[in-house]
Amino acid sequence: MRTVIIGSGSWGTALGQVLADNQQDVIVYGRNQAEVSDINENHHNTKYFKETELNPLLTATQDLSVVEGADFVLLAVPTIAIEDMCKKIDGYLKPNTIVINVSKGFHPETNERMSDVIRRSISSNKLSSVVSLIGPSHAEEVVIRQLTTIDAISLKMEDAKQVQMLFSNRYFRIYTGSDEIGSELGAALKNVMAIASGILSGLGYQDNTRAALITRGLQEMVRYGTFFGGQERTFMGLTGIGDLIVTCTSKHSRNFECGYQIGQENTVDNFWANNTKTVEGVRTAKIVHRVAEKNHISMPICEEVYQILYNHKKPDTCADSLMLRDLKEEFR
Ligand SMILES: NC(=O)C1=CN([C@@H]2O[C@H](COP(=O)(O)OP(=O)(O)OC[C@H]3O[C@@H](n4cnc5c(N)ncnc54)[C@H](O)[C@@H]3O)[C@@H](O)[C@H]2O)C=CC1
Ligand SMILES: O=C(CO)COP(=O)(O)O
């Protein structure tokens, strides 16, 4: 069985190494010459992992036709590039390919979840199913083989199980599930909460505040996710509370880091002027604002993040906005 990973960034490289460690036939496609040669010639991807030497079995290419005949194609590019990438690879795919999604967020214009984008953008006869491989997993820790558990979620359980077998090993354990809506919504929304957590830390708030944020953030995720048909218990698992904890508390999280900078500077201006990193929660905050408003879903924390990012609300005024809200609705 052959796997092609599309994207030579941090997550594509780390997942490629998991498969190389499992002695699977795997290659990474990257559009960036420097990243591709760094992997092939130096067994490093220095831009993302300064110190780490990669498994020498991991190779990379800039030739997209490598996708031809692959059994598994894993898309490790930001959500904004998924539709375009699906259209680019469609011509190379053989029938019944399992396409693996690892991106966390929504289509920037249509607000669709990633599985829906992929199903719409790839010819149906080419696709066995989409499997979302998501959960609490910073690439920086997977690449140094820290113990990690994530979910393989698919509407076709036999495909989820194939992905489980492909990736599982002594440091990377995969669980399967079928609640695509609950899992993908949890994975997307936790990025907005991680920005909120970063902002609060940057403003100087400590442990009580973070516990409040994680707990009340989870309530918002459940409210939003169940409104759209996700199952409440999914949010108690790896793609919900698991991913929420890891991103709301970790220095590796780009969403947390973005929030931290905004909180410390008490303004969003430098972030918009200088950010070059993949911070999925920023676009997700805008989509959640739009969708929640239309459907009357109460999302107070997400709304504050949206107001800071897009309406230049001062971060240090948001604590009062949240803490002094009308208490009538708060019964648990
Ligand atoms: N890095 C991590 O720890 C994890 C990331 N993810 C998700 O994986 C997705 C990818 O993120 P990362 O690998 O972290 O990002 P990254 O920024 O490290 O790498 C992104 C890669 O995609 C390529 N790329 C960007 N735009 C492109 C385009 N328009 N067309 C083709 N290629 C393009 C870049 O050249 C780069 O190789 C995101 O949705 C992220 O939320 C999920 C779990 C863990
Ligand atoms: O999703 C992630 C870990 O599970 C990565 O988080 P960031 O995108 O915030 O770095």
Side-chain angles (χ1 to χ4, degrees):
M1 299 290 253
R2 198 162 70 84
T3 305
V4 175
I5 294 184
I6 307 288
S8 57
S10 50
W11 201 211
T13 303
L15 288 171
Q17 176 170 261
V18 173
L19 293 188
D21 284 354
N22 293 357
Q23 297 183 333
Q24 292 291 336
D25 182 355
V26 60
I27 186 161
V28 173
Y29 159 83
R31 61 175 185 173
N32 183 307
Q33 166 72 45
E35 290 168 18
V36 167
S37 5
D38 203 16
I39 294 172
N40 286 336
E41 287 156 31
N42 309 321
H43 310 306
H44 275 80
N45 194 341
T46 318
K47 178 172 171 198
Y48 303 99
F49 313 115
K50 262 198 189 67
E51 310 289 328
T52 310
E53 182 166 348
L54 300 170
N55 184 326
L57 294 175
L58 184 64
T59 59
T61 177
Q62 278 191 285
D63 180 2
L64 195 56
S65 72
V66 71
V67 166
E68 203 155 1
D71 302 287
F72 301 93
V73 175
L74 185 151
L75 299 168
V77 294
T79 49
I80 198 168
I82 291 284
E83 179 178 7
D84 184 45
M85 206 30 105
C86 287
K87 290 182 175 158
K88 282 190 177 136
I89 62 173
D90 192 50
Y92 296 115
L93 295 176
K94 64 170 189 165
N96 272 320
T97 311
I98 296 179
V99 174
I100 305 171
N101 163 60
V102 299
S103 298
K104 296 174 177 174
F106 302 102
H107 186 286
E109 276 110 40
T110 65
N111 307 341
E112 293 161 288
R113 287 181 292 104
M114 286 300 105
S115 289
D116 286 334
V117 176
I118 294 168
R119 277 190 289 267
R120 174 171 60 73
S121 314
I122 286 182
S123 311
S124 54
N125 63 322
K126 304 281 181 77
L127 193 63
S128 175
S129 77
V130 181
V131 179
S132 275
L133 188 60
I134 46 183
S137 49
H138 287 303
E140 295 83 350
E141 296 196 356
V142 172
V143 85
I144 56 168
R145 303 181 179 90
Q146 289 282 302
L147 304 186
T148 301
T149 57
I150 62 174
D151 282 345
I153 306 293
S154 180
L155 302 179
K156 196 167 169 186
M157 190 42 69
E158 64 198 81
D159 287 359
K161 285 190 187 303
Q162 282 207 56
V163 171
Q164 176 185 44
M165 297 310 287
L166 187 70
F167 279 90
S168 290
N169 64 27
R170 63 192 307 173
Y171 68 88
F172 204 61
R173 185 173 174 85
I174 314 295
Y175 293 79
T176 56
S178 58
D179 180 12
E180 190 186 271
I181 299 174
S183 304
E184 291 183 13
L185 291 182
L189 263 65
K190 65 85 191 172
N191 283 332
V192 184
M193 300 306 167
I195 295 176
S197 180
I199 291 173
L200 291 169
S201 289
L203 286 167
Y205 292 103
Q206 299 178 23
D207 301 356
N208 294 353
T209 312
R210 187 175 293 170
L213 184 271
I214 290 175
T215 313
R216 295 311 304 174
L218 183 63
Q219 293 289 326
E220 282 186 30
M221 286 163 56
V222 168
R223 211 176 294 138
Y224 192 97
T226 52
F227 182 90
F228 289 103
Q231 295 163 18
E232 183 161 357
R233 65 186 290 267
T234 301
F235 293 86
M236 307 308 142
L238 293 169
T239 57
I241 184 73
D243 216 353
L244 186 63
I245 291 172
V246 88
T247 31
C248 285
T249 61
S250 172
K251 64 182 188 312
H252 295 308
S253 167
R254 292 157 297 188
N255 287 285
F256 180 90
E257 187 195 352
C258 140
Y260 189 80
Q261 180 196 350
I262 293 169
Q264 272 208 316
E265 295 171 352
N266 200 28
T267 168
V268 75
D269 295 349
N270 270 335
F271 171 77
W272 283 125
N274 301 319
N275 178 62
T276 55
K277 291 189 175 169
T278 302
V279 188
E280 295 279 20
V282 170
R283 228 171 303 111
T284 299
K286 192 177 193 174
I287 289 167
V288 169
H289 163 79
R290 230 160 38 200
V291 174
E293 192 172 65
K294 182 169 167 222
N295 295 288
H296 309 290
I297 310 168
S298 168
M299 303 289 286
I301 300 170
C302 288
E303 182 59 19
E304 290 305 312
V305 173
Y306 170 79
Q307 294 299 338
I308 291 169
L309 291 173
Y310 293 97
N311 284 338
H312 292 272
K313 184 166 180 179
K314 281 282 174 206
D316 66 359
T317 64
C318 288
D320 276 359
S321 303
L322 286 168
M323 296 300 282
L324 301 175
R325 271 169 29 252
D326 195 342
L327 285 166
K328 269 196 306 228
E329 304 293 318
E330 312 290 19
F331 50 87
R332 93 180 149 103

PDB file of all heavy atoms in Angstrom, residues 4-35:
ATOM      1  N   VAL A   4       0.729   8.935  -0.302  1.00  0.00           N
ATOM      2  CA  VAL A   4       1.352  10.207  -0.664  1.00  0.00           C
ATOM      3  C   VAL A   4       0.804  11.279   0.273  1.00  0.00           C
ATOM      4  O   VAL A   4      -0.414  11.378   0.477  1.00  0.00           O
ATOM      5  CB  VAL A   4       1.059  10.585  -2.135  1.00  0.00           C
ATOM      6  CG1 VAL A   4       1.624  11.964  -2.446  1.00  0.00           C
ATOM      7  CG2 VAL A   4       1.649   9.545  -3.076  1.00  0.00           C
ATOM      8  N   ILE A   5       1.704  12.035   0.855  1.00  0.00           N
ATOM      9  CA  ILE A   5       1.315  13.141   1.738  1.00  0.00           C
ATOM     10  C   ILE A   5       1.494  14.441   0.960  1.00  0.00           C
ATOM     11  O   ILE A   5       2.577  14.711   0.432  1.00  0.00           O
ATOM     12  CB  ILE A   5       2.174  13.130   3.018  1.00  0.00           C
ATOM     13  CG1 ILE A   5       1.835  11.867   3.814  1.00  0.00           C
ATOM     14  CG2 ILE A   5       1.966  14.405   3.837  1.00  0.00           C
ATOM     15  CD1 ILE A   5       2.499  11.737   5.143  1.00  0.00           C
ATOM     16  N   ILE A   6       0.418  15.216   0.867  1.00  0.00           N
ATOM     17  CA  ILE A   6       0.475  16.487   0.139  1.00  0.00           C
ATOM     18  C   ILE A   6       0.732  17.603   1.148  1.00  0.00           C
ATOM     19  O   ILE A   6      -0.108  17.892   1.989  1.00  0.00           O
ATOM     20  CB  ILE A   6      -0.867  16.769  -0.584  1.00  0.00           C
ATOM     21  CG1 ILE A   6      -1.281  15.591  -1.470  1.00  0.00           C
ATOM     22  CG2 ILE A   6      -0.790  18.079  -1.359  1.00  0.00           C
ATOM     23  CD1 ILE A   6      -0.460  15.413  -2.706  1.00  0.00           C
ATOM     24  N   GLY A   7       1.910  18.202   1.079  1.00  0.00           N
ATOM     25  CA  GLY A   7       2.257  19.285   2.015  1.00  0.00           C
ATOM     26  C   GLY A   7       3.491  18.911   2.819  1.00  0.00           C
ATOM     27  O   GLY A   7       3.471  17.920   3.568  1.00  0.00           O
ATOM     28  N   SER A   8       4.558  19.698   2.631  1.00  0.00           N
ATOM     29  CA  SER A   8       5.817  19.406   3.333  1.00  0.00           C
ATOM     30  C   SER A   8       6.015  20.362   4.507  1.00  0.00           C
ATOM     31  O   SER A   8       7.136  20.682   4.882  1.00  0.00           O
ATOM     32  CB  SER A   8       6.995  19.516   2.364  1.00  0.00           C
ATOM     33  OG  SER A   8       7.004  20.807   1.781  1.00  0.00           O
ATOM     34  N   GLY A   9       4.892  20.823   5.084  1.00  0.00           N
ATOM     35  CA  GLY A   9       4.972  21.670   6.273  1.00  0.00           C
ATOM     36  C   GLY A   9       5.159  20.827   7.519  1.00  0.00           C
ATOM     37  O   GLY A   9       5.592  19.661   7.449  1.00  0.00           O
ATOM     38  N   SER A  10       4.807  21.390   8.677  1.00  0.00           N
ATOM     39  CA  SER A  10       5.115  20.695   9.922  1.00  0.00           C
ATOM     40  C   SER A  10       4.312  19.405  10.081  1.00  0.00           C
ATOM     41  O   SER A  10       4.870  18.352  10.394  1.00  0.00           O
ATOM     42  CB  SER A  10       4.920  21.611  11.129  1.00  0.00           C
ATOM     43  OG  SER A  10       3.668  22.228  11.085  1.00  0.00           O
ATOM     44  N   TRP A  11       2.999  19.452   9.793  1.00  0.00           N
ATOM     45  CA  TRP A  11       2.194  18.252  10.058  1.00  0.00           C
ATOM     46  C   TRP A  11       2.436  17.186   8.982  1.00  0.00           C
ATOM     47  O   TRP A  11       2.531  15.996   9.280  1.00  0.00           O
ATOM     48  CB  TRP A  11       0.722  18.633  10.172  1.00  0.00           C
ATOM     49  CG  TRP A  11      -0.181  17.686  10.894  1.00  0.00           C
ATOM     50  CD1 TRP A  11      -1.505  17.501  10.628  1.00  0.00           C
ATOM     51  CD2 TRP A  11       0.111  16.800  11.996  1.00  0.00           C
ATOM     52  NE1 TRP A  11      -2.046  16.579  11.489  1.00  0.00           N
ATOM     53  CE2 TRP A  11      -1.066  16.132  12.335  1.00  0.00           C
ATOM     54  CE3 TRP A  11       1.276  16.517  12.723  1.00  0.00           C
ATOM     55  CZ2 TRP A  11      -1.130  15.185  13.365  1.00  0.00           C
ATOM     56  CZ3 TRP A  11       1.210  15.570  13.753  1.00  0.00           C
ATOM     57  CH2 TRP A  11       0.029  14.927  14.056  1.00  0.00           C
ATOM     58  N   GLY A  12       2.572  17.592   7.731  1.00  0.00           N
ATOM     59  CA  GLY A  12       2.856  16.626   6.666  1.00  0.00           C
ATOM     60  C   GLY A  12       4.159  15.874   6.928  1.00  0.00           C
ATOM     61  O   GLY A  12       4.245  14.649   6.775  1.00  0.00           O
ATOM     62  N   THR A  13       5.171  16.607   7.377  1.00  0.00           N
ATOM     63  CA  THR A  13       6.479  15.988   7.641  1.00  0.00           C
ATOM     64  C   THR A  13       6.399  15.027   8.830  1.00  0.00           C
ATOM     65  O   THR A  13       6.898  13.900   8.779  1.00  0.00           O
ATOM     66  CB  THR A  13       7.530  17.085   7.929  1.00  0.00           C
ATOM     67  OG1 THR A  13       7.568  17.968   6.804  1.00  0.00           O
ATOM     68  CG2 THR A  13       8.904  16.494   8.176  1.00  0.00           C
ATOM     69  N   ALA A  14       5.742  15.476   9.906  1.00  0.00           N
ATOM     70  CA  ALA A  14       5.672  14.627  11.114  1.00  0.00           C
ATOM     71  C   ALA A  14       4.880  13.340  10.816  1.00  0.00           C
ATOM     72  O   ALA A  14       5.285  12.244  11.232  1.00  0.00           O
ATOM     73  CB  ALA A  14       5.022  15.405  12.258  1.00  0.00           C
ATOM     74  N   LEU A  15       3.766  13.466  10.086  1.00  0.00           N
ATOM     75  CA  LEU A  15       2.966  12.268   9.773  1.00  0.00           C
ATOM     76  C   LEU A  15       3.700  11.375   8.778  1.00  0.00           C
ATOM     77  O   LEU A  15       3.592  10.137   8.835  1.00  0.00           O
ATOM     78  CB  LEU A  15       1.597  12.679   9.229  1.00  0.00           C
ATOM     79  CG  LEU A  15       0.656  13.273  10.285  1.00  0.00           C
ATOM     80  CD1 LEU A  15      -0.599  13.853   9.625  1.00  0.00           C
ATOM     81  CD2 LEU A  15       0.261  12.224  11.332  1.00  0.00           C
ATOM     82  N   GLY A  16       4.468  11.986   7.883  1.00  0.00           N
ATOM     83  CA  GLY A  16       5.286  11.191   6.957  1.00  0.00           C
ATOM     84  C   GLY A  16       6.291  10.349   7.726  1.00  0.00           C
ATOM     85  O   GLY A  16       6.514   9.169   7.432  1.00  0.00           O
ATOM     86  N   GLN A  17       6.856  10.963   8.774  1.00  0.00           N
ATOM     87  CA  GLN A  17       7.835  10.212   9.567  1.00  0.00           C
ATOM     88  C   GLN A  17       7.167   9.051  10.329  1.00  0.00           C
ATOM     89  O   GLN A  17       7.769   7.975  10.459  1.00  0.00           O
ATOM     90  CB  GLN A  17       8.568  11.116  10.538  1.00  0.00           C
ATOM     91  CG  GLN A  17       9.517  10.301  11.419  1.00  0.00           C
ATOM     92  CD  GLN A  17      10.455  11.139  12.227  1.00  0.00           C
ATOM     93  OE1 GLN A  17      11.607  11.308  11.834  1.00  0.00           O
ATOM     94  NE2 GLN A  17       9.985  11.647  13.350  1.00  0.00           N
ATOM     95  N   VAL A  18       5.930   9.259  10.798  1.00  0.00           N
ATOM     96  CA  VAL A  18       5.233   8.139  11.474  1.00  0.00           C
ATOM     97  C   VAL A  18       5.155   6.951  10.512  1.00  0.00           C
ATOM     98  O   VAL A  18       5.454   5.803  10.882  1.00  0.00           O
ATOM     99  CB  VAL A  18       3.800   8.555  11.916  1.00  0.00           C
ATOM    100  CG1 VAL A  18       3.043   7.343  12.463  1.00  0.00           C
ATOM    101  CG2 VAL A  18       3.852   9.668  12.953  1.00  0.00           C
ATOM    102  N   LEU A  19       4.788   7.230   9.260  1.00  0.00           N
ATOM    103  CA  LEU A  19       4.669   6.130   8.298  1.00  0.00           C
ATOM    104  C   LEU A  19       6.035   5.554   7.940  1.00  0.00           C
ATOM    105  O   LEU A  19       6.172   4.340   7.753  1.00  0.00           O
ATOM    106  CB  LEU A  19       3.927   6.600   7.039  1.00  0.00           C
ATOM    107  CG  LEU A  19       2.454   6.950   7.255  1.00  0.00           C
ATOM    108  CD1 LEU A  19       1.758   7.204   5.921  1.00  0.00           C
ATOM    109  CD2 LEU A  19       1.711   5.834   7.998  1.00  0.00           C
ATOM    110  N   ALA A  20       7.049   6.400   7.861  1.00  0.00           N
ATOM    111  CA  ALA A  20       8.407   5.885   7.608  1.00  0.00           C
ATOM    112  C   ALA A  20       8.832   5.001   8.779  1.00  0.00           C
ATOM    113  O   ALA A  20       9.417   3.919   8.580  1.00  0.00           O
ATOM    114  CB  ALA A  20       9.382   7.038   7.420  1.00  0.00           C
ATOM    115  N   ASP A  21       8.525   5.410   9.999  1.00  0.00           N
ATOM    116  CA  ASP A  21       8.842   4.582  11.178  1.00  0.00           C
ATOM    117  C   ASP A  21       8.121   3.240  11.099  1.00  0.00           C
ATOM    118  O   ASP A  21       8.613   2.220  11.580  1.00  0.00           O
ATOM    119  CB  ASP A  21       8.418   5.295  12.474  1.00  0.00           C
ATOM    120  CG  ASP A  21       9.375   6.421  12.862  1.00  0.00           C
ATOM    121  OD1 ASP A  21      10.421   6.572  12.194  1.00  0.00           O
ATOM    122  OD2 ASP A  21       9.071   7.152  13.830  1.00  0.00           O
ATOM    123  N   ASN A  22       6.907   3.250  10.504  1.00  0.00           N
ATOM    124  CA  ASN A  22       6.124   2.011  10.373  1.00  0.00           C
ATOM    125  C   ASN A  22       6.549   1.196   9.151  1.00  0.00           C
ATOM    126  O   ASN A  22       5.911   0.207   8.813  1.00  0.00           O
ATOM    127  CB  ASN A  22       4.627   2.346  10.254  1.00  0.00           C
ATOM    128  CG  ASN A  22       4.078   2.937  11.539  1.00  0.00           C
ATOM    129  OD1 ASN A  22       4.787   3.047  12.536  1.00  0.00           O
ATOM    130  ND2 ASN A  22       2.810   3.326  11.528  1.00  0.00           N
ATOM    131  N   GLN A  23       7.602   1.674   8.483  1.00  0.00           N
ATOM    132  CA  GLN A  23       8.131   1.029   7.271  1.00  0.00           C
ATOM    133  C   GLN A  23       7.085   0.899   6.179  1.00  0.00           C
ATOM    134  O   GLN A  23       7.043  -0.087   5.437  1.00  0.00           O
ATOM    135  CB  GLN A  23       8.769  -0.305   7.635  1.00  0.00           C
ATOM    136  CG  GLN A  23       9.931  -0.005   8.545  1.00  0.00           C
ATOM    137  CD  GLN A  23      10.745  -1.177   8.963  1.00  0.00           C
ATOM    138  OE1 GLN A  23      10.265  -2.299   9.026  1.00  0.00           O
ATOM    139  NE2 GLN A  23      11.986  -0.897   9.253  1.00  0.00           N
ATOM    140  N   GLN A  24       6.247   1.919   6.114  1.00  0.00           N
ATOM    141  CA  GLN A  24       5.273   2.001   5.027  1.00  0.00           C
ATOM    142  C   GLN A  24       5.929   2.677   3.813  1.00  0.00           C
ATOM    143  O   GLN A  24       6.903   3.411   3.959  1.00  0.00           O
ATOM    144  CB  GLN A  24       4.063   2.839   5.471  1.00  0.00           C
ATOM    145  CG  GLN A  24       3.226   2.194   6.549  1.00  0.00           C
ATOM    146  CD  GLN A  24       2.479   0.968   6.043  1.00  0.00           C
ATOM    147  OE1 GLN A  24       2.219   0.821   4.858  1.00  0.00           O
ATOM    148  NE2 GLN A  24       2.167   0.070   6.963  1.00  0.00           N
ATOM    149  N   ASP A  25       5.338   2.426   2.640  1.00  0.00           N
ATOM    150  CA  ASP A  25       5.771   3.093   1.415  1.00  0.00           C
ATOM    151  C   ASP A  25       5.137   4.486   1.413  1.00  0.00           C
ATOM    152  O   ASP A  25       3.928   4.619   1.216  1.00  0.00           O
ATOM    153  CB  ASP A  25       5.281   2.245   0.228  1.00  0.00           C
ATOM    154  CG  ASP A  25       5.717   2.804  -1.104  1.00  0.00           C
ATOM    155  OD1 ASP A  25       6.312   3.895  -1.120  1.00  0.00           O
ATOM    156  OD2 ASP A  25       5.455   2.146  -2.127  1.00  0.00           O
ATOM    157  N   VAL A  26       5.941   5.517   1.691  1.00  0.00           N
ATOM    158  CA  VAL A  26       5.389   6.872   1.843  1.00  0.00           C
ATOM    159  C   VAL A  26       6.304   7.895   1.182  1.00  0.00           C
ATOM    160  O   VAL A  26       7.532   7.746   1.199  1.00  0.00           O
ATOM    161  CB  VAL A  26       5.180   7.234   3.343  1.00  0.00           C
ATOM    162  CG1 VAL A  26       6.488   7.187   4.132  1.00  0.00           C
ATOM    163  CG2 VAL A  26       4.526   8.604   3.502  1.00  0.00           C
ATOM    164  N   ILE A  27       5.701   8.920   0.586  1.00  0.00           N
ATOM    165  CA  ILE A  27       6.482  10.045   0.057  1.00  0.00           C
ATOM    166  C   ILE A  27       5.686  11.328   0.291  1.00  0.00           C
ATOM    167  O   ILE A  27       4.454  11.318   0.260  1.00  0.00           O
ATOM    168  CB  ILE A  27       6.847   9.846  -1.436  1.00  0.00           C
ATOM    169  CG1 ILE A  27       7.773  10.962  -1.913  1.00  0.00           C
ATOM    170  CG2 ILE A  27       5.610   9.738  -2.321  1.00  0.00           C
ATOM    171  CD1 ILE A  27       8.548  10.609  -3.190  1.00  0.00           C
ATOM    172  N   VAL A  28       6.414  12.419   0.541  1.00  0.00           N
ATOM    173  CA  VAL A  28       5.784  13.720   0.774  1.00  0.00           C
ATOM    174  C   VAL A  28       5.906  14.552  -0.501  1.00  0.00           C
ATOM    175  O   VAL A  28       6.993  14.655  -1.085  1.00  0.00           O
ATOM    176  CB  VAL A  28       6.492  14.459   1.938  1.00  0.00           C
ATOM    177  CG1 VAL A  28       5.974  15.887   2.079  1.00  0.00           C
ATOM    178  CG2 VAL A  28       6.317  13.692   3.237  1.00  0.00           C
ATOM    179  N   TYR A  29       4.769  15.150  -0.927  1.00  0.00           N
ATOM    180  CA  TYR A  29       4.829  16.137  -2.006  1.00  0.00           C
ATOM    181  C   TYR A  29       4.894  17.524  -1.366  1.00  0.00           C
ATOM    182  O   TYR A  29       4.079  17.843  -0.493  1.00  0.00           O
ATOM    183  CB  TYR A  29       3.592  16.055  -2.922  1.00  0.00           C
ATOM    184  CG  TYR A  29       3.390  17.330  -3.698  1.00  0.00           C
ATOM    185  CD1 TYR A  29       4.091  17.573  -4.878  1.00  0.00           C
ATOM    186  CD2 TYR A  29       2.553  18.344  -3.207  1.00  0.00           C
ATOM    187  CE1 TYR A  29       3.953  18.783  -5.558  1.00  0.00           C
ATOM    188  CE2 TYR A  29       2.415  19.556  -3.882  1.00  0.00           C
ATOM    189  CZ  TYR A  29       3.117  19.772  -5.049  1.00  0.00           C
ATOM    190  OH  TYR A  29       2.986  20.965  -5.707  1.00  0.00           O
ATOM    191  N   GLY A  30       5.850  18.353  -1.827  1.00  0.00           N
ATOM    192  CA  GLY A  30       5.917  19.730  -1.336  1.00  0.00           C
ATOM    193  C   GLY A  30       6.109  20.686  -2.496  1.00  0.00           C
ATOM    194  O   GLY A  30       6.759  20.339  -3.489  1.00  0.00           O
ATOM    195  N   ARG A  31       5.541  21.889  -2.377  1.00  0.00           N
ATOM    196  CA  ARG A  31       5.731  22.857  -3.465  1.00  0.00           C
ATOM    197  C   ARG A  31       6.990  23.679  -3.240  1.00  0.00           C
ATOM    198  O   ARG A  31       7.449  24.393  -4.118  1.00  0.00           O
ATOM    199  CB  ARG A  31       4.512  23.777  -3.566  1.00  0.00           C
ATOM    200  CG  ARG A  31       4.272  24.589  -2.307  1.00  0.00           C
ATOM    201  CD  ARG A  31       3.147  25.582  -2.448  1.00  0.00           C
ATOM    202  NE  ARG A  31       3.062  26.396  -1.243  1.00  0.00           N
ATOM    203  CZ  ARG A  31       2.270  27.440  -1.088  1.00  0.00           C
ATOM    204  NH1 ARG A  31       1.465  27.793  -2.045  1.00  0.00           N
ATOM    205  NH2 ARG A  31       2.274  28.118   0.048  1.00  0.00           N
ATOM    206  N   ASN A  32       7.543  23.529  -2.059  1.00  0.00           N
ATOM    207  CA  ASN A  32       8.676  24.367  -1.678  1.00  0.00           C
ATOM    208  C   ASN A  32       9.998  23.599  -1.838  1.00  0.00           C
ATOM    209  O   ASN A  32      10.256  22.613  -1.150  1.00  0.00           O
ATOM    210  CB  ASN A  32       8.450  24.780  -0.208  1.00  0.00           C
ATOM    211  CG  ASN A  32       9.513  25.700   0.302  1.00  0.00           C
ATOM    212  OD1 ASN A  32      10.706  25.385   0.209  1.00  0.00           O
ATOM    213  ND2 ASN A  32       9.100  26.827   0.838  1.00  0.00           N
ATOM    214  N   GLN A  33      10.830  24.094  -2.782  1.00  0.00           N
ATOM    215  CA  GLN A  33      12.092  23.419  -3.129  1.00  0.00           C
ATOM    216  C   GLN A  33      12.988  23.225  -1.902  1.00  0.00           C
ATOM    217  O   GLN A  33      13.571  22.156  -1.696  1.00  0.00           O
ATOM    218  CB  GLN A  33      12.805  24.266  -4.198  1.00  0.00           C
ATOM    219  CG  GLN A  33      14.261  23.918  -4.455  1.00  0.00           C
ATOM    220  CD  GLN A  33      14.372  22.594  -5.200  1.00  0.00           C
ATOM    221  OE1 GLN A  33      13.639  22.364  -6.155  1.00  0.00           O
ATOM    222  NE2 GLN A  33      15.259  21.713  -4.753  1.00  0.00           N
ATOM    223  N   ALA A  34      13.067  24.261  -1.059  1.00  0.00           N
ATOM    224  CA  ALA A  34      13.983  24.192   0.090  1.00  0.00           C
ATOM    225  C   ALA A  34      13.558  23.100   1.056  1.00  0.00           C
ATOM    226  O   ALA A  34      14.397  22.317   1.542  1.00  0.00           O
ATOM    227  CB  ALA A  34      14.010  25.536   0.803  1.00  0.00           C
ATOM    228  N   GLU A  35      12.240  23.002   1.315  1.00  0.00           N
ATOM    229  CA  GLU A  35      11.754  21.976   2.256  1.00  0.00           C
ATOM    230  C   GLU A  35      11.981  20.572   1.682  1.00  0.00           C
ATOM    231  O   GLU A  35      12.403  19.658   2.393  1.00  0.00           O
ATOM    232  CB  GLU A  35      10.258  22.185   2.548  1.00  0.00           C
ATOM    233  CG  GLU A  35       9.994  23.425   3.384  1.00  0.00           C
ATOM    234  CD  GLU A  35       8.517  23.830   3.465  1.00  0.00           C
ATOM    235  OE1 GLU A  35       7.637  22.994   3.173  1.00  0.00           O
ATOM    236  OE2 GLU A  35       8.253  24.991   3.815  1.00  0.00           O
TER     237      GLU A  35
END
